[in-house]
Amino acid sequence: MIRIIIGELRKVWQGKSFWIMIAIAIVINLCYMQFSEQISIGLSGEQEISEEAPSFAYKNFDKQLAKAKDRCQFIEDYNTEIQGLLLVEQIQNYKASDSELALKMAEGMLKERKEEYNKYFSKWKNKEYHLYTDNLVTESIFAEKIYKKYSLEKDYNAYLDEIFEQEEEKLGVSIFADNVRDSFSEKMIRKTSEKYRGMKGTKTTFYSFQWLEKISENKMTDILIVLVIFIIAMYLVFEDKKKNLFSIMKATPCGRSRCIMAKLFTLAVSTVFVTFIIYLSMLIYIGCNFGLAGIHESIQSAGAFIACPYHFRVWQFLLISIFMKGAAFVIIALFIFLISMLSANYMIPFGAGMLLVMGNVLLYEMFASVGKYNVFHYLNIWSFIKSENLIGNYSLLNIVGIPVSSAFMANFLIVMLLAVLILANIFVFVKVRQMPEYSKKIKLNIPISRFYRRGKISKKLISYEACKIYRISGCAVMVVLFVLGMVFSSAKSSCYLSPNQESYRIQMKALEGKMTDEKEKIVLEKKQYYDDVLEQLKILEEKYEEGKVAQESYENRKLSLESKLALYPAFLRVQERYEYVKSHKNARFVYEDGYNKMIGKMDDWYIDFTLIIAIVLVIMQSTIFTLDRERGMEGLIRATPKGRKNSSFYKVAIGIINAAVLIFSFMCRNIYVANKFYGLGLWSVSISNLKGFETLPEFLPIVLCIALFGMVQLLIVTAFSVLVMFVSKKIGSAVWAIVIQLVVLVGIYVLYYSEHMT
């Protein structure tokens, strides 16, 4: 029996496909998590904002929180300070605007909260504060979220007391009603109270626990595991069917019960292993980005699972939930295995498995977790996979009038389904004499050449190559998804300008174009205003040092003068451009931030999009040359008159077209976002008018330089595409080529990201 098990395990574990599938699933999962995080924070650098703080904010906050002596005071002081600083920034933003309404709003806010404004203005002006995110707007949302979490979790025993009070009120109402005495409602109330009374005295320690929420929220991991176990279950059956081994195995003395037991054991072990290895990779990724603060604390310390009625540590909670997920995945694998034995090809078990999973997901989403029909929400396979929700809360189901814990019923049903499916697989394998033999899928040959006249070989050939690349390989889907992603990104993008950036934008937009007497007068008047304020501040300092001004009067006057200088850095940028235009005959005022944003000079968000483009190109271009070899057609194509140079030429041409479409949609997205938030005017003026490009020739207009920049990008991406096609052709396998090149790309990105963060 052991030798049979070892043999079955070798079939799966020694094959390259098994490890390739796991590697692909891990890479896709981690890339999805990284990409989804970038989408949630606006796919941005330091200028764009979102309601979701980046991962390093939670990691750094948890580190500082762990060092704090009084966590309560630390969190309250932090939230109060950030909200005060945001108030100052909002008032300064209103002051930077030319709108009368904005100025009135600034005055109103200043009157209502003058004391708070005065308290935090000097800190805001001198940047004497620490941010966990990139700007005050995101920081305020982050601080408020942390404070709300803390408010819920700071006193777990008070939370329990509130539950008991509510339960007693409900019980008091029902106890006097004859028609509900000893009803399901009363039994549920009593059982809930009894369960939570056992949690009294549980100690909690507050952390953000954002990493735990990310693990429980990520659905992609479960979807990828389902796809992998589909393949493993079908492989264990159809690999033997292809070789006609089923009839031979049944004819041997140990070929029935022992063989099926070995296969089922291999299936279960492989499924659990895949579950653990993929979740472990995700946990390592989450730990590197968010940290694993509080992993040894009680699960009630995490706000998302404060209602958990079990005495678990966080690591125990994770381990138990992964075990339950593994059991649920084994149920799906056993179902696929059973259908595969009764099928002639892969399509039937795959379709049946998809219907099973989608049907259970539909039940899970359609029925609420509370109410009369919550039994359908909890007692289905997708609910078992989302086991953290089962054991992270306490829900009672109405089973023939008896309140039963949803977690207990779920575990009972898991055991029953496992037993039934194991027995069903054994029965079918042992008792069914003739199982369907393996049948190859019939391929359709679509004569695309009928759309063209005979004799035009080049058109037929390029159409044939395009059909293979875009339809069979699925490149068309990748191109459409990328373009839609760029459209979605541009529509969802948001931008935050600091008060000085907004002031600079307003002033430069008013000055854009040729130097005129009126524009020069505006700049000089503004300069005189700031010179007067600086002079007043200097005189005030001298009087204070001489003892002619009292300290309180000095501080109030100084604060008033400094508030007038809050936007002075923006004017210094304007003055710098004024001096440049004044000293150069043909120079123009041009607001350059939009162009800098468009070409990635303002911040480093380009690296995220560069990785996305590279990943899409690797997936698309790796199939262009390998498709013919994997289908056994390479030798036949090379033997034809046009099968070498012409075929390869058209393949490379289509690959270049793919790269051009990606870069064009990427540049359109950048132009749209830059124009939407910054404005792109004066395309025809010289590039030398932009700060940082003064040394370039004056005859080069901005529009030509942007076009040249796009061409350089296209050349780089084209070279990368050709390299990917060359490497994939040498490797010979699309799967191997994708895995190897994606691992290299992700490795380079991680190294860059680590160096950038440090």
Side-chain angles (χ1 to χ4, degrees):
M1 182 67 179
I2 295 176
R3 293 176 64 186
I4 300 175
I5 292 174
I6 293 173
E8 293 294 336
L9 284 171
R10 283 178 176 174
K11 281 184 185 179
V12 178
W13 291 40
Q14 281 191 348
K16 295 178 181 178
S17 301
F18 178 70
W19 300 104
I20 290 173
M21 283 190 303
I22 293 177
I24 291 175
I26 290 173
V27 170
I28 292 174
N29 189 37
L30 299 186
C31 289
Y32 170 81
M33 292 182 71
Q34 177 66 28
F35 184 52
S36 62
E37 182 186 350
Q38 292 300 323
I39 287 179
S40 67
I41 62 175
L43 288 164
S44 68
E46 61 189 28
Q47 299 298 320
E48 297 178 13
I49 60 169
S50 169
E51 293 185 359
E52 183 59 44
S55 57
F56 60 80
Y58 293 97
K59 185 176 182 179
N60 294 335
F61 175 80
D62 285 334
K63 286 181 179 179
Q64 294 296 322
L65 185 63
K67 297 176 183 178
K69 294 180 180 179
D70 187 344
R71 296 187 177 215
C72 175
Q73 194 64 41
F74 176 83
I75 294 169
E76 290 182 357
D77 290 347
Y78 164 67
N79 183 58
T80 303
E81 179 180 296
I82 294 302
Q83 301 309 327
L85 291 168
L86 181 64
L87 170 69
V88 176
E89 183 148 306
Q90 287 175 338
I91 291 173
Q92 293 301 323
N93 273 330
Y94 287 138
K95 286 184 176 180
S97 174
D98 289 338
S99 170
E100 291 184 8
L101 178 62
L103 293 173
K104 288 181 179 179
M105 289 180 68
E107 291 176 3
M109 291 175 67
L110 193 58
K111 287 179 181 179
E112 291 178 5
R113 305 171 68 178
K114 185 175 182 180
E115 185 177 345
E116 187 178 355
Y117 176 85
N118 292 338
K119 180 179 179 181
Y120 292 104
F121 178 79
S122 59
K123 278 189 176 183
W124 177 85
K125 181 178 180 297
N126 301 320
K127 296 191 180 296
E128 296 173 351
Y129 53 85
H130 174 72
L131 296 183
Y132 297 104
T133 61
D134 296 322
N135 59 76
L136 274 171
V137 176
T138 305
E139 189 78 14
S140 67
I141 298 171
F142 172 73
E144 190 174 353
K145 183 177 181 180
I146 292 292
Y147 187 74
K148 285 181 179 179
K149 282 186 176 184
Y150 175 71
S151 299
L152 176 65
E153 304 159 34
K154 63 181 178 180
D155 193 346
Y156 179 66
N157 288 320
Y159 167 79
L160 292 178
D161 291 337
E162 186 178 348
I163 292 176
F164 299 147
E165 288 175 6
Q166 292 176 357
E167 300 298 336
E168 286 174 4
E169 289 177 7
K170 294 176 184 177
L171 197 60
V173 172
S174 65
I175 201 71
F176 294 105
D178 294 333
N179 59 335
V180 296
R181 187 175 295 173
D182 295 326
S183 65
F184 171 78
S185 176
E186 185 177 336
K187 292 176 183 177
M188 183 182 68
I189 293 169
R190 293 185 183 278
K191 193 165 184 177
T192 301
S193 291
E194 183 182 348
K195 186 66 178 178
Y196 278 108
R197 288 190 192 284
M199 301 304 297
K200 291 289 285 185
T202 300
K203 294 182 179 180
T204 59
T205 304
F206 178 77
Y207 286 100
S208 68
F209 283 107
Q210 187 70 11
W211 64 272
L212 187 59
E213 294 178 21
K214 286 292 180 182
I215 291 176
S216 61
E217 290 171 0
N218 187 19
K219 295 179 181 179
M220 178 59 71
T221 308
D222 299 324
I223 294 171
L224 291 170
I225 294 174
V226 167
L227 294 176
V228 172
I229 64 174
F230 271 27
I231 298 172
I232 294 172
M234 291 187 290
Y235 176 82
L236 281 169
V237 175
F238 289 109
E239 189 65 17
D240 289 338
K241 282 192 173 186
K242 286 179 182 179
K243 299 174 182 178
N244 295 319
L245 292 176
F246 266 35
S247 57
I248 297 174
M249 285 188 294
K250 288 189 175 187
T252 60
C254 299
R256 294 194 177 186
S257 59
R258 293 188 183 181
C259 182
I260 186 61
M261 291 299 292
K263 283 183 175 291
L264 295 180
F265 179 82
T266 300
L267 180 62
V269 170
S270 300
T271 300
V272 174
F273 173 77
V274 168
T275 303
F276 269 89
I277 200 70
I278 293 179
Y279 265 94
L280 179 62
S281 66
M282 182 173 66
L283 190 64
I284 293 172
Y285 172 86
I286 292 278
C288 293
N289 286 273
F290 289 88
L292 299 176
I295 195 170
H296 297 290
E297 304 298 336
S298 61
I299 188 61
Q300 289 76 19
S301 301
F305 304 105
I306 193 173
C308 179
Y310 308 105
H311 292 282
F312 292 148
R313 299 293 177 186
V314 173
W315 67 269
Q316 293 171 331
F317 177 85
L318 284 174
L319 196 61
I320 292 170
S321 64
I322 292 174
F323 265 115
M324 288 185 67
K325 288 175 185 287
F329 289 131
V330 171
I331 291 173
I332 297 173
L334 289 170
F335 176 79
I336 298 295
F337 190 92
L338 177 64
I339 302 299
S340 297
M341 287 194 294
L342 300 172
S343 306
N345 56 52
Y346 293 99
M347 295 306 297
I348 295 175
F350 187 83
M354 291 299 296
L355 287 174
L356 174 71
V357 174
M358 291 175 66
N360 279 270
V361 171
L362 191 62
L363 283 174
Y364 182 83
E365 297 294 340
M366 281 182 60
F367 295 97
S369 59
V370 293
K372 186 177 179 180
Y373 301 103
N374 64 342
V375 64
F376 296 105
H377 175 86
Y378 285 109
L379 300 186
N380 69 75
I381 295 174
W382 191 252
S383 177
F384 304 158
I385 293 174
K386 305 300 292 181
S387 54
E388 59 273 4
N389 296 330
L390 272 171
I391 60 178
N393 204 341
Y394 188 66
S395 299
L396 294 174
L397 307 179
N398 189 346
I399 309 297
V400 294
I402 302 172
V404 182
S405 167
S406 59
F408 173 81
M409 282 302 301
N411 285 306
F412 175 77
L413 191 58
I414 287 173
V415 173
M416 291 298 297
L417 286 173
L418 287 172
V420 169
L421 285 170
I422 289 171
L423 292 175
N425 277 284
I426 294 173
F427 177 82
V428 169
F429 187 84
V430 173
K431 295 298 182 181
V432 177
R433 293 185 178 181
Q434 290 186 343
M435 294 184 184
E437 296 181 358
Y438 177 73
S439 174
K440 292 184 178 180
K441 180 185 175 183
I442 299 174
K443 299 181 178 66
L444 296 176
N445 183 18
I446 302 174
I448 293 181
S449 58
R450 69 173 179 239
F451 294 105
Y452 304 103
R453 291 180 298 170
R454 292 184 179 181
K456 294 192 175 183
I457 304 297
S458 62
K459 283 190 176 181
K460 291 170 64 177
L461 184 57
I462 192 170
S463 300
Y464 177 68
E465 293 295 339
C467 175
K468 287 193 298 181
I469 293 169
Y470 288 114
R471 293 188 60 181
I472 299 175
S473 297
C475 284
V477 177
M478 294 296 297
V479 171
V480 171
L481 287 176
F482 182 85
V483 173
L484 290 176
M486 292 297 102
V487 173
F488 176 80
S489 170
S490 60
K492 291 293 182 180
S493 60
S494 56
C495 182
Y496 168 73
L497 297 179
S498 68
N500 275 288
Q501 289 172 329
E502 177 65 19
S503 177
Y504 179 69
R505 186 187 70 83
I506 293 171
Q507 293 180 72
M508 287 300 294
K509 282 293 184 180
L511 295 173
E512 270 192 330
K514 293 182 179 180
M515 172 72 79
T516 62
D517 294 338
E518 185 179 353
K519 292 178 181 178
E520 186 173 12
K521 182 181 178 182
I522 292 172
V523 175
L524 293 177
E525 286 179 354
K526 202 77 171 178
K527 183 177 182 301
Q528 185 62 45
Y529 169 79
Y530 282 116
D531 287 344
D532 291 343
V533 174
L534 290 170
E535 183 64 26
Q536 292 176 40
L537 189 60
K538 181 181 177 181
I539 294 171
L540 179 65
E541 292 281 356
E542 291 175 353
K543 288 183 177 180
Y544 176 71
E545 290 176 0
E546 294 172 359
K548 295 180 180 179
V549 180
Q551 184 174 356
E552 185 178 354
S553 176
Y554 162 75
E555 290 178 354
N556 291 334
R557 181 60 179 159
K558 181 182 179 183
L559 188 62
S560 175
L561 291 172
E562 286 181 342
S563 65
K564 295 179 180 180
L565 293 173
L567 302 177
Y568 184 54
F571 175 73
L572 290 178
R573 292 181 64 188
V574 175
Q575 185 178 358
E576 182 184 358
R577 301 314 301 160
Y578 163 78
E579 291 173 355
Y580 174 80
V581 174
K582 188 74 174 176
S583 59
H584 292 75
K585 184 178 180 181
N586 297 320
R588 301 286 187 273
F589 284 107
V590 180
Y591 176 53
E592 73 274 13
D593 283 357
Y595 300 104
N596 289 333
K597 182 69 176 179
M598 183 174 59
I599 64 177
K601 187 180 177 183
M602 184 176 290
D603 43 55
D604 59 354
W605 58 270
Y606 244 66
I607 187 66
D608 298 320
F609 278 103
T610 302
L611 176 67
I612 295 167
I613 293 172
I615 289 173
V616 173
L617 285 173
V618 165
I619 295 173
M620 290 171 57
Q621 316 293 52
S622 294
T623 61
I624 290 179
F625 278 95
T626 57
L627 184 64
D628 292 332
R629 180 178 296 186
E630 291 178 344
R631 287 176 167 250
M633 298 295 294
E634 187 178 35
L636 180 62
I637 292 174
R638 291 170 65 87
T640 60
K642 303 286 185 178
R644 290 193 177 189
K645 292 183 179 179
N646 288 29
S647 177
S648 298
F649 173 78
Y650 288 134
K651 284 182 171 70
V652 173
I654 291 171
I656 294 173
I657 291 172
N658 292 338
V661 171
L662 264 59
I663 281 297
F664 180 75
S665 59
F666 176 54
M667 289 196 66
C668 288
R669 182 261 177 199
N670 296 344
I671 292 173
Y672 173 81
V673 171
N675 186 61
K676 178 181 178 181
F677 298 114
Y678 297 89
L680 299 174
L682 304 180
W683 285 82
S684 60
V685 302
S686 173
I687 187 70
S688 61
N689 291 302
L690 300 183
K691 184 179 179 181
F693 299 92
E694 292 90 347
T695 57
L696 293 179
E698 291 186 2
F699 63 83
L700 287 176
I702 294 176
V703 62
L704 179 60
C705 290
I706 295 296
L708 291 173
F709 178 74
M711 291 179 64
V712 170
Q713 284 186 311
L714 178 60
L715 289 174
I716 294 172
V717 172
T718 300
F720 177 77
S721 299
V722 173
L723 177 64
V724 170
M725 288 186 281
F726 175 79
V727 172
S728 60
K729 185 177 181 181
K730 291 296 181 182
I731 294 174
S733 169
V735 174
W736 271 109
I738 291 172
V739 171
I740 292 172
Q741 293 177 97
L742 284 184
V743 169
V744 172
L745 278 176
V746 173
I748 294 172
Y749 178 78
V750 170
L751 288 174
Y752 171 86
Y753 185 75
S754 302
E755 183 180 352
H756 179 70
M757 289 302 298
T758 53

